[in-house]
Amino acid sequence: MEENTTRVFDNEKIRREVTRGKYGSVFFASSFRGANAEYASKLLSSFEKEGLLVRISQGVYLKARKTRFGISYPPIEEIVVQIAKRDRAKILPTGATAANMLGLSDQVPMKTCFLTSGTARRLNLGGRTVELKRAAPKNFAYNNEVVGILVQALRSIGAENVTEDMCAKIRTIMKEVPRDKGLDEDLSLAPAWIGKLIRGQMEL
């Protein structure tokens, strides 16, 4: 009897939190303080069937806005930030995603990719795939996040593919980065050719 009463309480509490939650909110079974995680997981699955939530990964649900054109998803980075916060993890865009974010490439990657210090996941946002790849701590050791993203972008581009237009963009990016001890440490962490390239653009 007590267990049934608890479940009714959990049901009402969790449903209330989900229905009152903002569009773009991400929910896990562990999102509801005091509720049984196993039961919360079953409730979230049932809410998906009701159309209250969209499952974007195993055990990860999104409150997405539904329009006459279909489901409207919030910006990918907002979703990834919420997941990282829940995992107490650091994240960093990598590959073509990093290059596109910094304007070094105008191609929007079909698969958006982030490095994470937390749990590796693959998210399905409609027709788009977002991959969270678990990476070593050294990838998140940069003092300035922009430098860390730039290093990831240049890794994917390759030294032989860096153009004059990209160099001009790097000069613009680095004008916003403080030239201090933290920057020197960041450039020493980067692969040698990337550190040399960035320093070269800063001197022009």
Side-chain angles (χ1 to χ4, degrees), residues 55-101:
R55 188 169 78 91
I56 58 175
S57 187
Q58 182 67 38
V60 186
Y61 296 83
L62 173 73
K63 185 173 181 181
R65 190 181 298 277
K66 295 184 178 179
T67 72
R68 60 194 179 99
F69 302 107
I71 296 174
S72 175
Y73 293 93
I76 289 173
E77 191 172 3
E78 289 183 12
I79 297 173
V80 172
V81 166
Q82 287 190 67
I83 293 174
K85 185 176 180 180
R86 182 264 183 185
D87 286 348
R88 297 180 180 178
K90 296 179 180 180
I91 55 169
L92 192 67
T94 188
T97 302
N100 180 260
M101 285 180 65

Side-chain angles (χ1 to χ4, degrees), residues 22-35:
K22 296 180 180 179
Y23 285 108
S25 297
V26 175
F27 295 97
F28 304 79
S30 59
S31 297
F32 312 97
R33 184 177 299 178

